[in-house]
């Protein structure tokens, strides 16, 4: 009940629902992490930047 | 939500209200409000926003003076059961976003957790009986007029911005259970747990008890020929039954297609 | 004064004119701010909502702007996933409109719930059977996606673009935008549907209740379809309005026509399914509830005209106009049809929210009316003020329309 106890129920519907939510959040999180790391590598010269336009 | 089925004995607390006995005096409403610490306002005329867990609806047969008949529908929360269409929950329970309202499968009571309700009011929209009330104002119990002195200590008052509704005086069930436990009994007696409205009704129109227990009066009455429920077509499976021998009263309890209504009396229409 | 910030080679009005342009919208925001403060401080008694009208103007606005904001996810889907290249000229505008609609709706929801501080309970004590939980989850996640889609556009600002780190970040985000667009499509798809599902599952309210497939009532699918049919039209309307106010051509006609054509097909499909759904409701849900068709259309002002307006005037007519290439190529007709389409979707949401609640279910219950207070209007209109301000600022300082220079080169 407290913000520190994580409520989790072991049933199918719950797993599917939260599974999809965490997949979506995971994709968003991983995507942003990937972009930030890539940018950092390019800024510090470990990776060559591609030119646009 | 799902895992509570199975173990333990299942009760199904319910109510039967005899409309032929009901005089519309409103004692049930008053007793309910007092018992359950329902907040008041200095002006209660705004009926769209006042809180009445038990509400009296006046109905008439719509006929001219000599034939006019009046009756009343006292309407607590119906404590709907699982919907019977393969769904699992009462209409308000399945929609609640924060699991603040729940159908207890042991007692059949639909609870409301005030401290968990976020006040989205989706349950109010889903309930066809208008049994749910929102706290539009901060709770208020005028001091110096005595109202603050008879607050029930076992019932938590509600904060603004949450939904509340009839709990079948759940605290009375807790009290009766504690009493039984102290006396070394496993079961509570029929008359040990009744709601405040049942107790207050001067004509004893309200009967309360376990619908699953064939020895309880409420369970026998609910199987009576005169018993019916509100809006049965919607499959909400209410645990509040009404009794009436009058066809016009029974007909007003639900929507009927032409010729769909079946009279229980052969003579009157 | 702010000329170094303006997009390269774009002509913009003077800062003074821009300042005066923002004033009325700032006034709307101030009105909304005051209303929001009153609602949060004094509780929701500041509104005219009641135990009968548990949902009211705000929810209509919420569902309306979210449906209109569907242009963002659908245009993103068409651009990045399907690969319609011509839509790249309008995708930025669609994303910004989507961002405005979703953040506006979220802000409004924050005021609408009785205990805003407990908003996180939706996520913590989630009842996964509730359609509204699905809606909240998806809207919150999708608002993040929209922010991510909006960020590279902000980083293209002339001054920000000079900073190497930010420019690289923007470029890198652009590169994997398809991933975000796909996630956004998934999220948006489900919450547009769940918004419809919210009403279809209310089996205690026969006016809104619907049968359905598995856990999803038919309204789930109808709301998705109507949102993706009206969303692109709203994007067209916003671009046309910007073109009209700035007196410039901003988006190639090809992109507009492409969106209009897709909207036409979707709207036609939606109308067919909506009529089928209405008939299914009429011969299924209504008699099951022991009621007749006219029982739902005789209370207060809500007559059969609701259906006529929703299906014929704001549905079939714009579908026909948009379907015929020669007609939709004429600006007047195009705008007229888009307006009707957008009005239709808002009207549809209004019917599902307000009319559902207004029609009593118990035979002895009475009909209640509802009119919003100035506080409710304030909060609702503030979303429009916020939208216009944000869109104007984006248009002024960011290269929202990639083809702007090209299209206006001859005129200069």
């Amino acid at each position: 009940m407290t913000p520190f106890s994580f409520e989790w129920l072991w049933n199918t519907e719950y797993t599917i629902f939260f599974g999809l939510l965490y997949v979506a959040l995971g994709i968003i999180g991983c995507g942003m992490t990937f972009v930030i790391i890539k940018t950092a590598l390019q800024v510090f010269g470990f990776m060559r930047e591609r030119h646009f336009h | 939500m799902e895992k509570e089925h199975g173990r333990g004995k299942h009760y199904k607390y319910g109510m039967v209200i005899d409309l032929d006995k009901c005089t519309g005096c409103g004692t049930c409403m008053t007793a309910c409000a007092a018992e359950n610490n329902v907040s008041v306002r200095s002006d209660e005329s705004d009926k769209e926003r006042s809180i009445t867990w038990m509400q009296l609806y006046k109905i008439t047969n719509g006929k001219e003076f000599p034939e006019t008949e009046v009756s009343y529908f006292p309407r607590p929360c119906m404590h709907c059961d699982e919907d019977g269409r393969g769904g699992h929950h009462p209409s308000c329970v399945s929609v609640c976003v924060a699991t603040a309202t729940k159908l207890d499968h042991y007692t059949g009571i639909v609870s409301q957790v005030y401290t968990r309700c976020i006040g989205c009011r989706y349950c109010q929209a889903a309930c066809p009986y208008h049994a749910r009330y929102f706290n539009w104002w901060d709770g208020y119990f005028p001091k110096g007029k005595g109202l603050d002195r008879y607050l029930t200590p076992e019932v938590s008052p509600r904060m603004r911005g949450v939904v509340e509704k009839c709990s079948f005086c759940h605290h009375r069930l807790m009290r009766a259970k504690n009493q039984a436990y102290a006396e070394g009994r496993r079961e509570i007696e029929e008359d040990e747990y009744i709601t405040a409205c049942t107790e207050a009704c001067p004509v004893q129109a309200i009967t309360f008890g376990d619908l699953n227990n064939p020895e309880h009066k409420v369970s026998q009455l609910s199987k009576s020929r005169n018993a019916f429920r509100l809006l049965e077509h919607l499959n909400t499976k209410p645990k509040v039954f009404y009794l009436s021998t009058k066809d016009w009263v029974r007909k007003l309890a639900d929507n009927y297609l032409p010729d769909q209504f079946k009279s229980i009396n052969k003579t009157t229409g | 004064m702010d000329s170094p910030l303006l997009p390269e080679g774009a002509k913009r009005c003077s800062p003074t004119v821009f300042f005066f342009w923002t004033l009325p919208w700032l006034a709307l925001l101030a009105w909304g701010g005051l209303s929001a403060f009153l609602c949060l401080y004094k509780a929701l008694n500041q509104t005219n909502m009641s135990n009968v009208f548990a949902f009211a103007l705000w929810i209509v606005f919420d569902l309306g702007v979210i449906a209109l904001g569907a242009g963002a996810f659908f245009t993103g889907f068409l651009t990045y996933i399907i690969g319609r290249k011509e839509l790249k000229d309008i995708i930025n505008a669609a994303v910004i409109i989507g961002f405005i609609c979703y953040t506006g709706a979220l802000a409004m929801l924050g005021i609408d719930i009785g205990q805003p501080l407990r908003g996180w309970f939706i996520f913590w004590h989630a009842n996964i059977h509730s359609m509204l939980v699905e809606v909240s989850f998806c809207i919150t996640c999708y608002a993040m996606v929209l922010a991510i889609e909006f960020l590279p556009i902000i980083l293209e600002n002339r001054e920000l673009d000079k900073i190497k780190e930010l420019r690289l970040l923007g470029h890198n985000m652009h590169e994997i935008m398809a991933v975000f667009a796909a996630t956004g499509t998934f999220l948006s798809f489900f919450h547009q549907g769940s918004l419809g599902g919210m009403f279809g599952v209310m089996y205690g309210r026969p006016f809104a209740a619907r049968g359905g497939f598995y856990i999803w009532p038919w309204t789930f699918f109808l709301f998705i379809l109507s949102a993706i049919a009206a969303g692109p039209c709203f994007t067209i309307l916003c671009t046309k309005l910007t073109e009209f106010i700035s007196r410039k051509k901003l988006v190639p006609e090809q992109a507009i026509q492409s969106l209009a054509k897709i909207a036409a097909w979707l709207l036609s499909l939606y109308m067919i399914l909506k009529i089928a759904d209405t008939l299914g409701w009429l011969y299924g849900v209504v008699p099951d509830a022991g009621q007749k068709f006219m029982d739902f259309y005789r209370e207060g002002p809500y007559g059969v005209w609701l259906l006529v307006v929703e299906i014929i005037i704001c549905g079939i007519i714009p579908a026909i106009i948009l379907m015929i290439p020669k007609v939709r190529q004429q600006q007047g007709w195009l705008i007229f049809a888009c307006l009707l389409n957008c009005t239709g979707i808002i009207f549809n949401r209004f019917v599902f929210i307000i009319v559902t609640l207004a029609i009593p279910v118990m035979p002895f219950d009475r009909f209640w009316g509802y009119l919003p207070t100035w506080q409710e209007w304030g909060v609702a209109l503030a979303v429009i003020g916020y939208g216009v301000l944000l869109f104007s600022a984006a248009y002024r300082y960011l290269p929202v329309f990639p083809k702007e220079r090209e299209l206006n080169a001859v005129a200069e």
Side-chain angles (χ1 to χ4, degrees), chain C residues 24-43 46 58 104 107-108 110-111 374-386 389:
Chain C
W25 312 110
L26 283 171
L28 265 188
L29 269 190
W31 177 14
L34 175 67
S35 312
F37 170 76
L38 282 174
C39 291
L40 294 173
Y41 182 67
K42 291 190 165 180
Q46 298 295 307
W58 289 345
M108 251 164 74
I111 302 161
W374 66 265
Q375 288 95 329
E376 288 181 83
W377 283 115
V379 171
L381 294 179
V383 175
I384 295 177
Y386 155 73
L389 279 178

Side-chain angles (χ1 to χ4, degrees), chain B residues 47-66:
Chain B
K47 286 301 161 203
E48 269 183 287
R49 289 191 185 185
S50 59
I51 299 175
T52 44
W53 288 13
M54 174 63 111
Q55 169 83 304
L56 266 184
Y57 284 90
K58 182 181 175 182
I59 53 169
T60 73
N61 61 353
K63 290 187 180 158
E64 288 296 317
F65 159 61

Side-chain angles (χ1 to χ4, degrees), chain B residues 48-49 89 91 93 95-97 99 114 116-119 121-122 124-125 128 130 134 136-137 160 255-256, chain C residues 40-41 44-45 47 49-51 54 112 114-115 118 121 125 127 130 133 198 203-205 290 361 363 365 368:
Chain B
E48 269 183 287
R49 289 191 185 185
H89 308 288
S91 57
V93 171
V95 301
C96 177
V97 288
T99 332
Y114 312 122
R116 198 188 263 192
C117 174
I118 67 163
R121 304 184 296 281
Y122 190 9
Q124 287 192 300
H130 293 310
F134 186 75
W136 301 98
W137 282 268
R160 81 177 191 201
N255 298 297
Y256 290 99
Chain C
L40 294 173
Y41 182 67
L44 289 175
N45 52 54
T47 69
M49 287 191 278
S50 65
N51 293 322
D112 188 49
Q115 289 276 346
R118 296 181 189 169
F121 284 13
H125 304 294
N127 170 18
S130 173
V133 166
M198 265 181 77
Y203 63 87
R205 300 272 187 176
V361 187
D365 205 357
W368 297 88

Side-chain angles (χ1 to χ4, degrees), chain B residues 5 79-94 103 105 110 129 229 231-239, chain C residues 200-204 209-210 214:
Chain B
H5 298 269
H79 294 272
C80 303
D81 230 329
E82 298 180 339
D83 78 346
R85 279 182 183 155
H88 293 290
H89 308 288
S91 57
C92 55
V93 171
S94 62
L103 169 66
H105 290 105
V110 177
Y129 303 104
R229 293 179 286 182
L231 299 176
E232 280 192 75
H233 278 140
L234 297 182
N235 238 329
T236 48
K237 303 260 183 286
K239 287 195 266 296
Chain C
V201 297
M202 300 202 301
Y203 63 87
R210 293 291 189 277
Y214 187 42

Side-chain angles (χ1 to χ4, degrees), chain B residues 17 21-23 25 27-28 31 196-206:
Chain B
I17 304 176
K21 284 184 187 166
C22 175
T23 60
C25 66
T27 312
C28 52
C197 52
T198 313
E199 190 179 354
C201 180
V203 292
Q204 297 183 1
I206 307 179

Side-chain angles (χ1 to χ4, degrees), chain B residues 187-238:
Chain B
E187 298 286 333
I188 55 171
E189 298 297 320
E190 183 177 0
D191 55 353
E192 272 187 306
Y193 167 40
I194 53 167
T195 61
C197 52
T198 313
E199 190 179 354
C201 180
V203 292
Q204 297 183 1
I206 307 179
T207 317
F208 188 82
D210 180 10
L211 292 165
N212 274 353
N213 189 337
E215 284 164 24
H216 278 205
K217 202 175 160 204
V218 75
S219 129
Q220 293 151 13
L221 285 175
S222 72
K223 293 185 185 80
S224 139
R225 203 170 70 103
N226 297 336
F228 59 96
R229 293 179 286 182
L230 278 182
L231 299 176
E232 280 192 75
H233 278 140
L234 297 182
N235 238 329
T236 48
K237 303 260 183 286

